[in-house]
């Protein structure tokens, strides 16, 4: 009996199944379209280039989708320094120690970007990021990029490409991680005063720099290493590395500064650059052959794998928790920008980079 019914209504059953699966497919398509629309809207809103027309200094903070708490800690602490910086006729002034600043002296020459990849994120995370973007307007969202540690170098490449194409007045990029505390005020002050030469007597005790051609074509400024052994296994393994038995000299990725000439060079040659596991190592390779780039090693960049302690003159401190950032921010407010540390300490020694010897002997 059942067999006869199946034969009689076979066409109807097959049609019903066909329409059922077709309906499911359409429903799933709408869901995908909705998610894609969410991502596209986020990208469009973050790429409103008109708000970047005057930006000369970009602070590029590499962050991950789940690190909203870290981003909020930065917004509540050192990112506020951006609102305290004023540039007038080439002179860098500060709100907390300069009485002649008027209401109209505020500058929009400095812009912070938190970089996040949004491809393949769950819808609830996209909504959360959308809300964060609405209240902060400081997210750079890469909608065709899946955020992961393995993609970190690509993330940097795409970010620099965006800056090169959208910030036409760009002079310098301060690159850091979302667990770095950055003295944007002091970095901008030095850049405005000394530019790529970085040879003023007031900073010479912290700085060693490589002599370059007279017509200097850019700046690469941070805490350099030239003797690091290549990782052959583990998290930082470099399977494609073939250049030599050590990494090429590079500024450690917790924080460094590059000039717009380097940013534009990377953007123009995006498809030709080798991609290594570590973004800071990659930057060292990309810039290795560039003529006239002034490589400046500065002990005020506390950007090694573990903090060297705290000094009031430090420009960047890596590996800092939100509570660490809050404490340093309070210290600076109470001392009007003079005291970064509650108490200064040396946990590990720094080194001056010797540019006149082979890299393996650079950092004793």
């Amino acid at each position: 009996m059942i067999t006869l019914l199946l034969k009689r209504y076979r066409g109807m059953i097959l049609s019903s199944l066909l329409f059922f699966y077709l309906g499911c497919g359409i429903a799933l398509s709408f869901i995908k379209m909705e998610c894609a629309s969410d991502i596209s809207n986020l990208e469009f809103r973050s790429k409103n280039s008109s708000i970047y027309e005057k930006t000369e200094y970009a602070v590029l903070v590499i962050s991950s989708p789940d690190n909203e708490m870290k981003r909020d800690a930065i917004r509540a602490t050192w990112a506020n320094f951006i609102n305290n910086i004023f540039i007038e006729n080439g002179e860098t002034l500060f709100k907390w120690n300069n009485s002649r600043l008027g209401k109209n002296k505020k500058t929009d020459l400095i812009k912070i970007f938190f970089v996040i990849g949004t491809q393949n994120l769950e819808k609830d995370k996209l909504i959360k990021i959308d809300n964060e973007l609405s209240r902060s307007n400081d997210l750079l969202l890469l909608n065709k990029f899946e955020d992961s540690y393995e993609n970190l170098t690509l993330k940097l490449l795409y970010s620099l490409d965006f800056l090169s194409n959208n910030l036409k007045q760009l002079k310098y990029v301060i690159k850091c991680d979302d667990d770095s505390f950055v003295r944007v005020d002091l970095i901008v002050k030095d850049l405005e005063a000394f530019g790529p030469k970085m040879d003023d007597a007031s900073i010479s005790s912290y700085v060693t720099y490589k002599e370059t051609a007279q017509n200097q074509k850019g700046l690469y400024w941070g805490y350099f290493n030239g003797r690091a052994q290549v990782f052959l296994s583990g998290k930082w393994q470099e399977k494609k590395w073939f250049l030599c038995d050590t990494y090429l000299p590079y500024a450690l990725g917790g924080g460094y500064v590059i000039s717009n000439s380097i940013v534009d060079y990377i953007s123009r040659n995006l498809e030709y650059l080798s991609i290594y596991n570590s973004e800071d190592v990659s930057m060292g390779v990309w810039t290795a052959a560039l003529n006239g780039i002034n490589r400046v090693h500065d002990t005020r960049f506390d950007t090694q794998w573990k903090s060297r302690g705290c000094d009031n003159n430090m420009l960047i401190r890596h590996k800092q928790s939100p509570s660490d950032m809050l404490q340093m921010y309070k210290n600076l407010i109470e001392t009007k920008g003079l005291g970064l540390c509650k108490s200064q300490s040396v946990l590990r020694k720094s080194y001056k980079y010797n540019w006149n010897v082979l890299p393996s002997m650079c950092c004793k």
Side-chain angles (χ1 to χ4, degrees):
M1 183 66 176
I2 294 175
T3 304
L4 291 173
L5 287 173
L6 287 173
K7 287 182 179 180
R8 177 178 296 182
Y9 296 107
R10 181 181 179 184
M12 186 182 298
I13 293 170
L14 291 175
S15 297
S16 299
L17 288 172
L18 176 62
F19 283 113
F20 172 78
Y21 285 113
L22 183 61
C24 290
I26 293 173
L28 288 173
S29 296
F30 276 121
I31 293 172
K32 290 179 180 179
M33 286 173 64
E34 184 180 357
C35 289
S37 175
D38 286 344
I39 299 173
S40 296
N41 286 337
L42 289 173
E43 181 192 33
F44 173 77
R45 290 174 60 192
S46 68
K47 292 192 175 182
N48 180 9
S49 59
S50 63
I51 67 174
Y52 311 136
E53 288 177 354
K54 297 181 180 180
T55 303
E56 295 183 0
Y57 295 88
V59 185
L60 193 65
V61 184
I62 305 299
S63 190
S64 68
D66 295 326
N67 286 0
E68 184 177 1
M69 182 181 296
K70 289 185 176 181
R71 293 189 289 274
D72 280 341
I74 289 174
R75 293 182 184 113
T77 58
W78 62 260
N80 275 324
F81 298 152
I82 294 174
N83 298 322
N84 291 334
I85 303 171
F86 304 82
I87 301 173
E88 179 184 345
N89 298 324
E91 183 183 3
T92 307
L93 309 174
F94 299 93
K95 185 175 181 179
W96 52 37
N97 62 5
N98 199 299
S99 59
R100 65 186 177 90
L101 292 173
K103 293 181 179 179
N104 298 323
K105 300 299 184 184
K106 185 175 180 179
T107 180
D108 54 1
L109 302 182
I110 308 166
K111 176 70 179 173
I112 189 168
F113 299 86
F114 293 97
V115 187
I116 300 172
T118 60
Q119 188 178 54
N120 296 330
L121 284 183
E122 298 174 358
K123 189 174 181 180
D124 60 335
K125 290 187 177 182
L126 286 174
I127 292 172
K128 193 174 181 181
I129 288 173
D130 188 21
N131 292 334
E132 183 182 351
L133 178 61
S134 296
R135 67 178 170 82
S136 63
N137 197 32
D138 55 12
L139 301 183
L140 173 55
L141 301 171
L142 308 177
N143 76 330
K144 297 179 181 178
F145 175 84
E146 185 170 357
D147 214 304
S148 66
Y149 179 82
E150 292 75 17
N151 287 337
L152 188 57
T153 303
L154 279 175
K155 186 175 184 177
L156 178 65
L157 272 179
Y158 295 151
S159 303
L160 295 177
D161 186 48
F162 168 83
L163 297 181
S164 177
N165 288 307
N166 289 277
L167 277 60
K168 299 307 180 183
Q169 304 300 319
L170 183 66
K171 291 181 179 178
Y172 297 98
V173 173
I174 304 169
K175 181 271 166 186
C176 65
D177 295 339
D178 60 12
D179 60 348
S180 296
F181 190 95
V182 183
R183 291 297 306 271
V184 181
D185 53 336
L186 297 184
I187 291 175
V188 170
K189 181 181 179 181
D190 278 357
L191 290 172
E192 284 288 315
F194 316 123
K197 291 187 177 181
M198 305 299 290
D199 57 359
D200 184 79
S202 64
I203 61 173
S204 61
S205 60
Y206 303 101
V207 166
T208 55
Y209 61 98
K210 184 175 177 59
E211 296 285 355
T212 61
Q214 287 185 349
N215 296 323
Q216 294 183 2
K217 301 172 184 176
L219 173 67
Y220 184 17
W221 178 24
Y223 194 88
F224 279 79
N225 194 357
R227 61 181 180 180
Q229 296 295 315
V230 179
F231 283 94
L232 302 177
S233 61
K235 181 179 180 180
W236 293 283
Q237 180 183 10
E238 297 289 0
K239 296 180 180 179
K240 298 179 181 179
W241 187 268
F242 69 95
L243 296 173
C244 56
D245 56 354
T246 61
Y247 295 122
L248 303 188
Y250 67 98
L252 302 182
Y256 54 81
V257 178
I258 54 175
S259 60
N260 67 313
S261 55
I262 295 176
V263 176
D264 290 342
Y265 168 80
I266 289 172
S267 177
R268 289 194 306 270
N269 296 280
L270 203 67
E271 60 184 302
Y272 302 109
L273 298 176
S274 298
I275 307 299
Y276 297 102
N277 199 17
S278 299
E279 56 84 13
D280 50 3
V281 167
S282 298
M283 181 62 70
V285 174
W286 300 337
T287 57
L290 297 185
N291 181 42
I293 298 299
N294 194 24
R295 294 167 181 82
V296 178
H297 174 80
D298 195 327
T299 58
R300 293 176 297 173
F301 286 73
D302 178 31
T303 51
Q304 292 177 281
W305 64 276
K306 186 177 181 180
S307 175
R308 302 195 309 269
C310 191
D311 186 290
N312 286 331
N313 294 303
M314 284 178 170
L315 301 179
I316 297 181
R317 295 195 69 206
H318 194 205
K319 302 296 184 183
Q320 302 301 306
S321 68
S323 60
D324 293 332
M325 293 189 185
L326 181 60
Q327 182 60 60
M328 285 184 284
Y329 181 70
K330 287 181 177 179
N331 296 339
L332 288 169
I333 295 298
E334 291 172 0
T335 62
K336 295 184 178 181
L338 298 177
L340 176 67
C341 317
K342 197 169 185 66
S343 60
Q344 298 189 88
S345 62
V346 179
L347 301 179
R348 302 169 65 239
K349 292 183 178 181
S350 61
Y351 54 78
K352 291 288 188 72
Y353 197 104
N354 188 349
W355 295 104
N356 298 315
V357 299
L358 293 174
S360 60
M361 303 293 291
C362 67
C363 311
K364 293 186 176 181

